[in-house]
Amino acid sequence: MHYTTHMNDSPVLFLHPPQSNASDAEYLSGFCDLAMSEGWLVKSIEFSKGVKTDFLEQLTAFWHPRGIIILGGPACPSFTFNTRLKRLPIVFIDWSPGPSGAGRTARGRRFALVSCDNAASALTAAKRLMSRDFAAFAYVSSWYRAQWSEEREAEFRRAVELNGKSFFRFDGTGLSVGGAAVIRRLCKWLEELPKPCGLFVAHDRVATEVLSAALKCAISVPKDLSVLSVDDDAQVCESATPTLSSIHPDFRMGGRLAGELLRDLLAERTPAERHLHYGVSRVVGRSSDRVLLVPSPTIMTVLDYIR
């Protein structure tokens, strides 16, 4: 998707991971809305082997871009900003170049960050789950250690304990590989939770492992365990059993905020805030936290089909 008023303009590069999902398209759409108003040419480029210094140098030499947007992903390691990249405006979305890299960029480098407001996601989850009279509330962390997961957990726990409720947590490390040992540990933890329980999960893919474990150990979802996640990856949520309720962050606003930061950097203005956050767009309710007055698997299936 390209927008331009002058075809000879240097482009703005929008770098994104190879396994793009709906959220990536929303980021790009939000960014392009602002780019169109600014008359920028946007070139979308997929990276598959990580955003490293030499990769950016080669892209810069080829395109001579006016600026770069980098959408985070697992293939984003830390990298250093050398002299060639020093004056190139770069905005990172949902990823930081790392503690040491960020420290170096802060001195004379033109960069900024946009990320999800994890506290807002956690508060949204807490208010939705606490609208029901659960015996307890719990959190399952991401399958790798991440600051955003810890922030969601901390804010969710604060809200739960503020309301005088019991809080439990499960370390989700290792759930991505689905090892037998970690699945047994998860099943045992789920069985020991007070019921009914409101369960907030770091993100959708971890939540599908939780739902599979609940099914394996015959825990009723959502009657005994009400599950809510974050990201609203439709392909993941709709294929889960039962279908997964999830918080949909405002990815489109995230893309627009990245554009606003880049606009300031291009104008050689120091942004009032170098790190902006986007909030929650909506909660997409599905079967995992929907309780019927007369629970029936058949009715749940029909409702999912109608939805």
Side-chain angles (χ1 to χ4, degrees), residues 14-28 44-48 71-74 205 233-236:
F14 190 99
L15 277 56
H16 60 88
Q19 294 182 340
S20 299
N21 52 36
S23 65
D24 293 354
E26 289 184 56
Y27 285 125
L28 181 57
S44 175
I45 298 177
E46 178 183 291
F47 61 82
S48 58
L71 179 58
R205 294 188 181 276
D233 186 328
Q235 184 175 359
V236 173

Side-chain angles (χ1 to χ4, degrees), residues 182-203:
V182 69
I183 294 299
R184 284 196 299 270
R185 183 165 59 89
L186 176 58
C187 284
K188 185 174 185 296
W189 181 78
L190 291 174
E191 289 173 338
E192 293 174 351
L193 284 175
K195 307 294 190 306
C197 180
L199 180 59
F200 180 39
V201 187
H203 60 88

Side-chain angles (χ1 to χ4, degrees), residues 232-243:
D232 188 35
D233 186 328
Q235 184 175 359
V236 173
C237 295
E238 295 289 348
S239 60
T241 304
T243 55

Side-chain angles (χ1 to χ4, degrees), residues 113-118 151 253-254 257 275-279:
L113 310 173
V114 174
S115 60
C116 180
D117 187 338
N118 296 307
E151 289 174 355
M253 177 56 70
L257 290 176
H275 189 178
L276 298 180
H277 297 85
Y278 59 90

